[in-house]
C-alpha cells in the first residue's frame, strides 16, 4: 500500500512562489506515475501535472511554464514548484500516485486512474 504525505502550501501574493512536497512510501513496483491535482471551492478536481517513473513530465495548459513537477527518487519525494502564482491558482492541492506491474508509455490525467492520494494542502494566492 502506497502512502503519500504532503507538506508545503500556504498563502502568497500574486507573482510569488511556493513549493509543495509529497513523500511517498510503500511502492511494490518500479513502474509508477505521480501527479498533482487541485480543487477550488465549488469546482471539480483538475489535473495539474504528472511525472512518469522515467522522468517524463506533462502539464496542464494553465500552469505550463509556471509550474515544475519533479521527483527525488532517492528521497521518494515528489515536488511541485509553483512560480508566478495567480489568484486563480488558489485551491486545495493534492498529490496522487498509481503503480503498475508492467511498463506504461504515458501517465494518466484522470483522477479516477490514480490509486493513492495524499491529504491535500491549501494554496491561497491573493491579488
Amino acid at each position: 500500500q502506497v502512502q503519500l504525505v504532503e507538506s508545503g502550501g500556504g498563502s502568497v501574493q500574486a507573482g510569488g512562489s511556493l513549493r509543495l512536497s509529497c513523500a511517498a512510501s510503500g511502492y511494490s513496483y518500479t513502474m509508477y506515475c505521480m501527479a498533482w491535482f487541485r480543487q477550488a471551492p465549488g469546482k471539480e478536481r483538475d489535473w495539474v501535472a504528472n511525472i512518469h517513473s522515467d522522468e517524463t513530465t506533462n502539464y496542464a495548459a494553465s500552469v505550463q511554464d509556471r509550474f515544475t513537477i519533479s521527483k527525488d527518487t532517492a528521497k521518494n519525494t515528489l515536488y511541485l514548484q509553483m512560480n508566478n502564482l495567480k489568484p486563480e491558482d488558489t485551491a486545495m492541492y493534492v498529490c496522487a500516485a498509481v503503480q503498475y506491474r508492467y511498463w506504461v508509455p504515458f501517465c494518466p490525467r484522470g483522477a479516477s486512474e490514480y490509486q493513492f492520494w495524499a491529504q491535500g494542502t491549501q494554496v491561497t494566492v491573493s491579488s
Side-chain angles (χ1 to χ4, degrees):
Q1 186 81 359
V2 176
Q3 293 185 328
L4 304 173
V5 179
E6 280 190 56
S7 59
S11 298
V12 65
Q13 289 191 328
S17 299
L18 285 172
R19 189 177 81 158
L20 307 181
S21 301
C22 179
S25 62
Y27 280 116
S28 299
Y29 309 110
T30 57
M31 175 62 227
Y32 59 87
C33 292
M34 297 191 76
W36 290 97
F37 290 82
R38 65 186 182 185
Q39 187 168 17
K43 296 187 176 181
E44 294 185 352
R45 179 171 290 184
D46 290 332
W47 169 74
V48 174
N50 61 27
I51 186 165
H52 194 279
S53 50
D54 69 2
E55 309 282 344
T56 303
T57 59
N58 289 285
Y59 297 91
S62 59
V63 306
Q64 184 79 48
D65 297 328
R66 298 189 299 122
F67 290 11
T68 302
I69 188 172
S70 63
K71 61 184 178 73
D72 184 329
T73 303
K75 296 181 179 180
N76 291 321
T77 300
L78 176 73
Y79 301 100
L80 184 68
Q81 177 66 43
M82 304 182 291
N83 298 328
N84 190 22
L85 282 160
K86 303 176 180 180
E88 52 264 42
D89 294 318
T90 295
M92 179 72 73
Y93 284 71
V94 190
C95 74
V98 57
Q99 59 179 351
Y100 303 92
R101 294 185 178 184
Y102 45 87
W103 185 80
V104 296
F106 304 107
C107 285
R109 302 184 179 189
S112 62
E113 301 291 327
Y114 286 82
Q115 300 168 302
F116 309 105
W117 294 84
Q119 77 279 14
T121 187
Q122 179 67 34
V123 171
T124 302
V125 184
S126 58
S127 58

